[in-house]
Amino acid sequence: CAMSSELLVDVGDDSATAQLGQLKLTTIEDQQWPADESYLSKSDVSQQFDASSPHLPWDHPFYDIARHQIIEVAGDDNFGRKVIVFNACRMPPQHQLDHHKLLMYLKGTLDQYVESDYTLIYFHHGLTSENKPSLSWVRDAYREFDRKYKKNIKALYIVHPTMFIKTLLILFKPIISFKFGRKINYVSYLSELEDVVKCDQLVIPSRVREYDNKLRASLKPTTQPPMSPPHSPPLPSQVFGVPLTLLRQRDPDGDPVPVVMRDTVGFLSEQGATVNLREMEDVHLAAVILKTFLRELPEPLLTYQLYNDIVNFACKYVMKTLVESLPEENYASLRYLITFLAQVSANSEVNKMTNSNLAVVFGPNLLWGRDNAMSLSAIGPINNFTRTLLDQQHLVFA
């Protein structure tokens, strides 16, 4: 996932930086915010603006950013730390927002509190294909925040996370420091924030509250989360970290192959000869989702029961017997995956993904030990088994 390009952020704009340095944001307790999604006219802002007002005059260089109320200061959390809120649903379409200035505005806000501990809350609901920034902007934004910003942030809470945001964090894992990664927390319901901050002091967008109500209403009464649960309860639609048998029970057609595998493999298959699991962008992202799903299964696809047999595997003639001993869901999913990977390797002259390369990529995601670790001595045999399985797939699954 190593990526390189010129940083999008130029902090050398002296006039804008000087103006940003003078920007003072009051806390939400002192603010009289307009209704969600509404914008003040230039004349209204000019009349209301004074030293204690959160609104900027229309001719201020950051007026066009501040008026959206994407970034807010929401008092202190339960531990006495300043709370900064980022509302994704208030981001306008990409062509209506200067993301460069948004980043500078965020930094200017944090500059007022960065010398002390602070908490960042990100409301993810409302981020769409129309208003989300580019992946390169997200990457460069993270890199732009130097140690002084990352040191004192004590927690980043991602509220209502989706598979997209989780996959994005996996994609950027190589550039996210271990210490910062430990500060990231997923929050499935607004009620869970009560452990961190009093929600009545947050001006939570109505769209976010409505979405949260729908999520809670979709749960069975016995699984409704308490006001302050110790852990985030799983969503009914959760597919990562769920046993294959349960996923099959949830499937309307009872298909033994999980829908996440069918969807990602279906997408990758449409790419035809261009499939290259080392590319960036959409193809790479789909491959990451597929590998992550396999790795997060409670039990590996090849099962713990076959671990010793596979690690000590030496004869290809017993492979068919081993594979056929798998549970029905495991067998069907393995066959589906291997059949697809064989199609990929058939185009190895174009995509460079031979059976050996595919085995290196997928082998560790098909089998691991009960302690969830992968010893160096086991990697070779597991990859060899996977490569042989690809070589012999037409016989094993005949």
Side-chain angles (χ1 to χ4, degrees):
C1 291
M3 295 172 284
S4 62
S5 68
E6 295 297 321
L7 289 178
L8 299 178
V9 180
D10 179 8
V11 294
D13 187 342
D14 295 335
S15 61
T17 303
Q19 290 281 358
L20 187 60
Q22 300 171 6
L23 176 63
K24 300 296 182 183
L25 296 181
T26 57
T27 59
I28 280 183
E29 299 96 308
D30 303 326
Q31 299 177 9
Q32 296 296 323
W33 292 99
D36 289 339
E37 321 306 338
S38 65
Y39 304 131
L40 299 173
S41 67
K42 293 181 179 180
S43 59
D44 289 338
V45 173
S46 297
Q47 293 173 3
Q48 294 183 11
F49 181 79
D50 57 43
S52 61
S53 171
H55 305 301
L56 303 179
W58 67 267
D59 57 349
H60 192 285
F62 288 95
Y63 165 79
D64 60 328
I65 302 296
R67 71 188 180 96
H68 294 295
Q69 300 172 230
I70 301 169
I71 301 165
E72 299 175 338
V73 182
D76 299 335
D77 64 15
N78 297 342
F79 308 97
R81 305 177 298 216
K82 191 61 63 179
V83 176
I84 312 298
V85 177
F86 192 105
N87 300 292
C89 70
R90 289 178 174 167
M91 295 180 67
Q94 298 166 358
H95 66 281
Q96 297 180 14
L97 182 67
D98 186 331
H99 290 92
H100 165 83
K101 292 179 69 174
L102 175 62
L103 179 58
M104 293 180 66
Y105 184 76
L106 176 59
K107 291 181 67 176
T109 303
L110 295 179
D111 279 338
Q112 302 174 60
Y113 310 104
V114 73
E115 298 303 324
S116 302
D117 294 347
Y118 69 97
T119 295
L120 185 61
I121 298 177
Y122 168 62
F123 289 111
H124 179 64
H125 177 69
L127 192 73
T128 67
S129 58
E130 293 184 355
N131 68 356
K132 70 180 180 181
S134 66
L135 293 182
S136 61
W137 182 89
V138 176
R139 175 202 62 199
D140 293 337
Y142 175 80
R143 289 176 171 171
E144 180 70 16
F145 283 86
D146 55 29
R147 187 173 181 274
K148 76 171 184 176
Y149 297 100
K150 298 171 185 174
K151 176 183 177 182
N152 287 333
I153 181 173
K154 294 307 175 184
L156 165 58
Y157 294 96
I158 300 177
V159 183
H160 299 141
T162 60
M163 186 167 66
F164 167 79
I165 194 69
K166 293 181 178 180
T167 303
L168 187 65
L169 289 175
I170 294 172
L171 190 63
F172 282 100
K173 189 174 181 179
I175 68 172
I176 296 178
S177 69
F178 176 74
K179 289 184 178 180
F180 185 81
R182 294 178 61 183
K183 299 176 182 180
I184 300 175
N185 303 274
Y186 292 132
V187 178
S188 298
Y189 305 96
L190 291 176
S191 60
E192 298 174 27
L193 283 177
E194 290 290 339
D195 287 339
V196 181
V197 62
K198 300 304 180 186
C199 288
D200 56 3
Q201 79 181 51
L202 302 176
V203 181
I204 302 174
S206 58
R207 289 178 57 187
V208 174
R209 289 189 180 278
E210 291 169 3
Y211 178 71
D212 188 76
N213 290 336
K214 289 180 181 179
L215 284 181
R216 294 173 63 87
S218 68
L219 298 176
K220 296 180 180 179
T222 55
T223 59
Q224 282 281 2
M227 289 304 295
S228 299
H231 299 288
S232 302
L235 295 176
S237 58
Q238 180 177 342
V239 295
F240 285 73
V242 178
L244 293 175
T245 52
L246 180 56
L247 292 177
R248 183 178 186 180
Q249 292 172 12
R250 292 177 178 175
D251 192 280
D253 301 320
D255 196 320
V257 180
V259 65
V260 68
M261 291 187 66
R262 302 200 302 270
D263 287 349
T264 51
V265 167
F267 170 79
L268 291 169
S269 296
E270 292 174 1
Q271 308 307 305
T274 63
V275 171
N276 185 338
L277 300 183
R278 290 174 178 166
E279 286 180 358
M280 300 303 297
E281 306 304 334
D282 293 339
V283 171
H284 177 82
L285 189 60
V288 169
I289 294 173
L290 178 58
K291 291 186 290 181
T292 302
F293 169 78
L294 293 170
R295 184 64 194 184
E296 291 192 4
L297 287 172
E299 183 175 14
L301 191 61
L302 289 172
T303 71
Y304 293 130
Q305 184 175 351
L306 294 185
Y307 182 85
N308 289 333
D309 291 328
I310 291 175
V311 169
N312 297 311
F313 171 77
C315 179
K316 65 181 181 182
Y317 299 106
V318 301
M319 178 172 283
K320 183 177 178 66
T321 302
L322 288 176
V323 170
E324 289 179 345
S325 70
L326 290 169
E328 183 179 356
E329 294 82 7
N330 297 64
Y331 179 88
S333 298
L334 180 66
R335 179 177 182 174
Y336 189 83
L337 175 65
I338 295 299
T339 299
F340 162 68
L341 294 181
Q343 295 172 357
V344 174
S345 66
N347 293 295
S348 60
E349 291 184 2
V350 177
N351 58 41
K352 310 303 180 185
M353 299 307 294
T354 63
N355 284 348
S356 295
N357 290 338
L358 289 169
V360 171
V361 171
F362 279 90
N365 300 301
L366 297 179
L367 185 63
W368 56 86
R370 289 186 180 274
D371 59 355
N372 206 35
M374 179 70 74
S375 66
L376 293 176
S377 61
I379 292 177
I382 290 174
N383 290 349
N384 179 59
F385 181 90
T386 305
R387 180 187 58 76
T388 306
L389 185 58
L390 286 165
D391 291 341
Q392 304 294 323
Q393 58 92 21
H394 58 292
L395 296 176
V396 173
F397 297 108

